[in-house]
Amino acid sequence: MTCLLICGDRAPHPALVANLPDFVLSDKLLPGDWTCVFRWGAVHGSDEGHWVVNAAQAVANARGADMAAFLRLNDLAANPALEPRWRVYVFDLRTLGVMQRVGRRWRHVSQWTSGPIVKLRETARRAVYALGLHFGAVDLAGTGKGIVVRVLPDPPLDTRLARRFAQAMVTYVAATQEAVAAAHGLAPGPEVVLGADPEFILRNRRTGRTVSAARFFPRWGVVGLDRACFKRNGVLIYPLAEVRPPPSPDPLELVENLRRAIAKAASAVRGRRISFEAGGTSLRSFSIGGHIHFSNVRLSTDLLRALDNYLALPVLMLENPVSSRLRRPRYGYLGDWRPQPHGGFEYRTPGSWVVSPHYAAAVLCLAKAVAQDYPLLRRNVFLSLDNQRAFYAADKPTLRPYFFALWRDLQQSPVAREFHKHLALVHQMVSEERRWNERVDIKKRWLAS
């Protein structure tokens, strides 16, 4: 293992360098076959051909005039004119330290799990990710979720933080090497397990009105209620139902598990003139997402970026742009995930793909390929503010050329090649500029085939 640490204007703390004996320290990008290149606030040289941690463009995003625009686009409050009160240190989606400003000094906060601190940590993690960074320090003002004042791609450290960063960097490199070796077939790797809890709404076919899912389904179980609700005439209405099929490492088996769950849901409304609708639909106040669960894989910045680029962007190309714009960025923003009790995580960025078993198979096969082979999928089109804007605006003409470039990358994935017959549907639909129909009764599609 030989890694390069490129420093910008602020040299890293001596304790960081002392705890990274296998790293080469430089003020510029040196030629060499580096395992990883870490940019500590430096933008010298090209990232091309290197596994880079904090891409040069991401560092520029954090320091540029568009920093606040990136964050506001991702539904994060930002105001560089404020005086910061908190500083949160983030590395690879994980908090390494929290400090509070007391007078002119920064002091460590020992308790990170209190409600206010947890919200600040989430804001900091999202801010670092939105700018394209792997790590940084985020200065925040205000209370609650906080207001981002600045993001530092060369975070100032003390001895304690330097040691934490050094350990995090060594851990990251080891995990990356294992993932790369597995993706290239040079070493055995864990098989990613997929799960899902896709949502749908119930609608009266005669009146077109939303029907409360609580009339037919229990709170929990294979078919149950989403927690979102509203009141109509003093009665709580649960407009969203969701199916929770057993997970599987085989995406096609998961599709069959979904089919059985939807059949169970359909039997509960038989004879009631109730349709099931998925996709974005027209529920302005509620998000209908295509949440996918991943387990037996380590969540990392690199995996999350691959999911945004190689899964969420293709799904966006199939969605109704109107419903996509209504949902985002509050729901389904780039890098939207949350941990799950089973130890994995739920990826929440894609729109609902349960409109038919054929689309479900295509999306789940794509999810499997990206999660299993993400070290082979390195393109990140969302380093650009314009491309992030296009994503949130569901601007398909702008994103279509990037889709085809990403699709060519997928040919490097052994899993994508294994499921190419199912994935071909996505490529065909985007090539023909078609989208799926979100107004159909999904019961009919899932039970007919």
Side-chain angles (χ1 to χ4, degrees), residues 272-346:
R272 300 298 186 95
R273 295 184 179 180
I274 300 293
S275 64
F276 294 170
E277 290 184 10
T281 76
S282 59
L283 290 180
R284 182 179 294 270
S285 301
F286 295 91
S287 165
I288 297 184
H291 304 165
I292 302 176
H293 298 192
F294 297 90
S295 56
N296 213 28
V297 62
R298 178 182 181 272
L299 177 61
S300 67
T301 304
D302 300 305
L303 172 55
L304 198 57
R305 287 207 204 293
L307 290 170
D308 279 349
N309 283 270
Y310 295 90
L311 178 59
L313 189 151
V315 171
L316 174 76
M317 301 300 291
L318 304 178
E319 288 185 84
N320 182 329
V322 175
S323 56
S324 176
R325 287 191 290 269
L326 287 174
R327 194 167 69 94
R328 296 184 174 103
R330 185 177 180 187
Y331 301 107
Y333 52 82
L334 290 166
D336 191 356
W337 67 276
R338 66 183 177 190
Q340 287 295 299
H342 53 64
F345 68 97
E346 179 184 50

Side-chain angles (χ1 to χ4, degrees), residues 63-247:
R63 288 181 166 166
D66 289 332
M67 183 277 291
F70 270 100
L71 302 187
R72 291 168 186 149
L73 187 61
N74 286 273
D75 201 31
L76 294 169
N79 187 344
L82 295 179
E83 189 72 23
R85 181 185 174 195
W86 306 93
R87 177 171 289 169
V88 181
Y89 290 83
V90 177
F91 187 97
D92 201 24
L93 308 177
R94 292 155 180 85
T95 303
L96 296 190
V98 180
M99 304 186 85
Q100 183 176 12
R101 188 165 183 169
V102 181
R104 295 184 177 182
R105 301 186 64 182
W106 290 98
R107 298 186 183 276
H108 282 274
V109 176
S110 58
Q111 179 54 263
W112 297 356
T113 57
S114 65
I117 300 298
V118 169
K119 291 180 180 179
L120 292 171
R121 289 168 56 195
E122 181 181 2
T123 297
R125 170 181 59 78
R126 288 186 56 197
V128 167
Y129 184 85
L131 293 168
L133 297 167
H134 284 72
F135 67 85
V138 182
D139 287 353
L140 301 115
T143 57
K145 294 182 179 180
I147 302 168
V148 178
V149 177
R150 67 182 66 90
V151 179
L152 304 168
D154 50 351
L157 307 177
D158 59 15
T159 301
R160 185 192 311 184
L161 285 164
R163 289 172 178 161
R164 289 177 184 170
F165 264 84
Q167 182 58 53
M169 292 163 76
V170 170
T171 299
Y172 172 86
V173 173
T176 297
Q177 286 185 299
E178 290 179 8
V180 169
H184 284 92
L186 303 176
E191 184 165 16
V192 176
V193 176
L194 301 180
D197 55 355
E199 303 152 345
F200 58 91
I201 67 169
L202 280 66
R203 198 182 295 279
N204 185 298
R205 287 202 299 266
R206 183 175 59 84
T207 65
R209 298 193 73 184
T210 304
V211 177
S212 178
R215 286 180 52 188
F216 304 100
F217 308 130
R219 180 71 179 89
W220 307 108
V222 174
V223 183
L225 306 180
D226 183 82
R227 61 184 177 181
C229 61
F230 66 93
K231 276 191 175 181
R232 179 191 290 163
N233 300 325
V235 178
L236 275 179
I237 303 295
Y238 289 84
L240 304 183
E242 63 180 29
V243 288
R244 309 175 184 115

Side-chain angles (χ1 to χ4, degrees), residues 317 321 325 390 393-404 433:
M317 301 300 291
R325 287 191 290 269
D395 180 358
K396 297 184 184 184
T398 294
L399 294 175
R400 185 168 286 108
Y402 296 101
F403 166 84
F404 291 111
E433 300 187 21

